[in-house]
Amino acid sequence: MDSEFEVPRELSGLQKKRAQYHPELPPCLQGITVRVEFGDSTTCADPSSANVIGRAFPHTFGQPLAHFLRATAKVPDAQIITEHPPMRVGVLFCGRQSPGGHNVVWGLYKAIKIRNSDSVLLGFVGGTEGLFTQKTLEITDEVLATYKNQGGYDLLGRTVDQIRTTEQVNAAMIACNDLRLDGLVIIGGVTSNSDAAQLAETFAEAKCPTKVVGVPVTLNGDLKNQFVETNVGFDTVCRVNSQLISNVCMDAQSAEKYYYFIRLMGRKVSHVALECALQSHPNMLILGEEVALSKLTLFDITKQICDAVQARAEKEKYHGVVLIPEGLIESIPELYALLQEIHGLHNQGILTDKISSRLSPWASALFEFLPPFIRKQLLLHPESDDSAQLSQIETEKLLAQLVEKEMNRRMEEGIYKGKTFDVICHVFGYQARGSLPSKFDCDYAYVLGHICYHILAAGLNGYMATATNLKHPVNKWRCGAAPLTAMMTVKRYSRGPGAVPVGKPAIHHATVDLKGKAYELLSQKAPSFLMDDLYRNPGPLQFEGPGADAKTYTLAVEDQDYMGRMKKLQEYLDKVKSMVKPGCSQEVVKAALSSMASVTEVLSVMTTPSFGGHQPL
């Protein structure tokens, strides 16, 4: 063990109290026996992608769903696992730290130890780099003592967050073979779980005995699909940010002279910003998905904010709070195109200080229009996925300057007759990312850790641990596992005029659903948020009291229980089979045929690929 891990970190009184909290387990995870029911083989949400994904993942595509059952469940085809030989499992943090990550490790450790005390859990120190170099720390009760229900990833740490190149995949396989691992649990977000899917396929093809399991842990909330309702860390980050935003709202209303522009973490999508807006009721939210759909320009957004400032001034309100997601910069069409051109020049090896002179005429004109600080930030080298370094681009300052300039122009021309526009900018990110996790995230992460063991005990490879029905109490959660490949889609891009669109299967970022109930709720309330100052303070994180068991709006208002519905559908299909058998009455057969023909016709229309088998570009 490295010296840096020999002395447990010192805890405050609050942290010690948090460490004493023991999360509850759903009934299906209690006891020693593992009961698993397998559903039908899976496909993917986009029918036009199925063939591509199937060819790319011949060993792991089409695997069945798995449902873990409580001891009292009467399911004749369930697999009942009572023997638990010693197991060696590796675990690593792969991705940016998210509150609750430590509890996944704790839950996994607890699950393997209560079933066989000789089992071993090895944590890879330094994330993927630790995996490649086989730098491990054996997880024990003593090691975990000061990390239960705590924030951060400092138990194991993280470094380069990818397992993608041939060299990296081979190093991972060598490590798993050398350490004789039965399972490898990868804790991370969209990119990490895409890598986990590829790793599982490669292991299966090479007949490596190590089974790969993914866990949805990311504060961005963008690892959402029909199987995953929310991510570990999202609840905490939104709660902490919402309290900070609410504090600023109260300050704005008290001083009555400042506008606050607040940029929030969330990467490419606006889930965090949407949830925070629903919790704290700021005056405006510039949603990246709305901007992208409507193709709003930088001028359009500036005008939208200025019009709101002017409307509020007519009511003698000279303060306000505007939320801006960090991915907004890539949602604005002209700025996204400029970034793509800059990144293309980076990829050609053009030196940073030479890029501005190599831009096309339109890109050069836009680049020169922007303030110097934004130019410098846009020239930063892109991330490994070719996206901009969003956390480093001060979009809130850019909008603040443009709005201030426009309001001054309106004042000079007599269009605006209010007070001088004064703005203060903030960035809320690391303040929430390093927070103590909420009670929900502690419970959710701990449960997912236990599910990881159930997946490995069932001998499954290339699966993600899932828990659904999450808006209800823990004792009603449904636990299961879904193949990573069933969460994949193929985003197709054309490389030139007339070229055939090409793409690679991956788990992609889920954007805010502009037809979803959460967005609908915001749309209904947005006019009153803008003009009536209905600021709301959800308060600090609580483990006890009236706010302890509150769920995020985006979880509570959606009706998502996909895994439960699939199980219920299977039950109905089984009932139909049992009632419509040779020898039943003619009326029963006619009724079944009529109903099934109608259902089949509707489903055929719904599942027919559109756009000639291609996604819109």
Side-chain angles (χ1 to χ4, degrees), residues 225-546:
N225 50 54
Q226 59 269 47
F227 308 105
V228 182
E229 293 183 0
T230 191
N231 310 143
V232 173
F234 181 74
D235 182 88
T236 302
V237 165
C238 291
R239 286 172 179 271
V240 174
N241 275 333
S242 294
Q243 188 197 8
L244 294 172
I245 293 164
S246 300
N247 294 346
V248 171
C249 288
M250 288 298 101
D251 187 80
Q253 194 167 31
S254 300
E256 296 186 316
K257 60 180 180 180
Y258 295 118
Y259 271 86
Y260 291 90
F261 282 33
I262 302 174
R263 176 162 51 99
L264 297 171
M265 273 186 167
R267 299 293 295 153
K268 294 173 177 290
V269 294
S270 308
H271 295 291
V272 172
L274 172 61
E275 177 62 35
C276 289
L278 290 171
Q279 288 196 29
S280 60
H281 303 179
N283 298 104
M284 287 188 73
L285 164 63
I286 309 299
L287 205 64
E289 287 81 354
E290 279 185 327
V291 170
L293 179 67
S294 301
K295 294 182 171 56
L296 299 182
T297 65
L298 196 55
F299 174 79
D300 293 330
I301 298 168
T302 302
K303 183 178 183 301
Q304 189 178 44
I305 298 173
C306 289
D307 289 347
V309 170
Q310 188 156 342
R312 286 177 58 80
E314 290 169 3
K315 284 194 171 187
E316 297 187 354
K317 293 183 177 182
Y318 300 100
H319 62 277
V321 177
V322 181
L323 298 190
I324 300 162
E326 70 175 354
L328 179 64
I329 198 82
E330 287 194 339
S331 300
I332 302 170
E334 69 269 29
L335 290 179
Y336 178 72
L338 173 59
L339 281 166
Q340 290 298 102
E341 193 166 321
I342 290 172
H343 294 173
L345 293 170
H346 273 302
N347 293 335
Q348 293 174 29
I350 307 299
L351 296 176
T352 300
D353 58 355
K354 303 292 184 184
I355 285 179
S356 60
S357 63
R358 300 287 295 273
L359 293 171
S360 62
W362 76 265
S364 179
L366 174 60
F367 187 78
E368 292 303 319
F369 164 78
L370 297 171
F373 73 92
I374 285 289
R375 293 182 217 159
K376 183 177 180 181
Q377 292 160 6
L378 294 179
L379 290 174
L380 293 171
H381 278 271
E383 303 274 16
S384 59
D385 62 354
D386 206 37
S387 64
Q389 291 194 38
L390 298 174
S391 63
Q392 303 300 314
I393 300 177
E394 297 173 302
T395 317
E396 75 288 356
K397 289 187 178 180
L398 171 62
L399 289 176
Q401 284 195 16
L402 294 176
V403 170
E404 183 177 23
K405 184 177 179 180
E406 172 61 14
M407 293 310 299
N408 289 338
R409 184 192 69 80
R410 293 186 183 190
M411 182 176 283
E412 289 173 4
E413 295 180 4
I415 301 171
Y416 171 66
K417 296 179 172 60
K419 295 180 181 178
T420 303
F421 175 80
D422 289 317
V423 63
I424 298 174
C425 294
H426 290 290
V427 181
F428 292 163
Y430 305 112
Q431 302 93 325
R433 192 171 83 173
S435 170
L436 288 171
S438 66
K439 184 173 179 290
F440 174 83
D441 277 329
C442 287
D443 291 341
Y444 186 30
Y446 185 76
V447 165
L448 290 177
H450 275 263
I451 294 172
C452 288
Y453 173 80
H454 278 57
I455 293 171
L456 295 173
L460 303 178
N461 176 42
Y463 276 71
M464 180 181 287
T466 65
T468 58
N469 211 31
L470 295 175
K471 64 182 178 182
H472 297 289
V474 176
N475 61 8
K476 294 185 178 179
W477 289 3
R478 297 188 180 96
C479 302
L484 291 163
T485 52
M487 304 176 189
M488 288 185 160
T489 53
V490 180
K491 283 193 174 180
R492 296 177 173 86
Y493 306 92
S494 289
R495 300 193 183 279
V500 177
V502 296
K504 180 181 178 182
I507 301 173
H508 290 102
H509 304 272
T511 57
V512 169
D513 182 3
L514 298 182
K515 296 180 180 179
K517 292 182 180 179
Y519 177 74
E520 181 183 350
L521 179 61
L522 178 70
S523 298
Q524 292 170 355
K525 294 181 176 293
S528 55
F529 286 179
L530 176 61
M531 300 305 299
D532 300 333
D533 293 353
L534 303 178
Y535 303 140
R536 175 181 179 273
N537 196 324
L541 290 179
Q542 299 178 37
F543 258 40
E544 300 171 351

Side-chain angles (χ1 to χ4, degrees), residues 17-76:
K17 186 174 182 180
R18 290 285 182 95
Q20 293 167 2
Y21 171 73
H22 199 290
E24 182 184 353
L25 284 177
C28 59
L29 300 182
Q30 296 174 10
I32 304 302
T33 302
V34 172
R35 294 172 174 81
V36 57
E37 176 191 15
F38 293 103
D40 292 332
S41 61
T42 54
T43 182
C44 59
D46 174 21
S48 67
S49 298
N51 288 336
V52 178
I53 299 171
R55 288 196 300 270
F57 295 85
H59 300 87
T60 53
F61 183 67
Q63 297 187 98
L65 290 181
H67 304 276
F68 298 112
L69 309 174
R70 63 178 67 198
T72 56
K74 306 297 182 185
V75 179

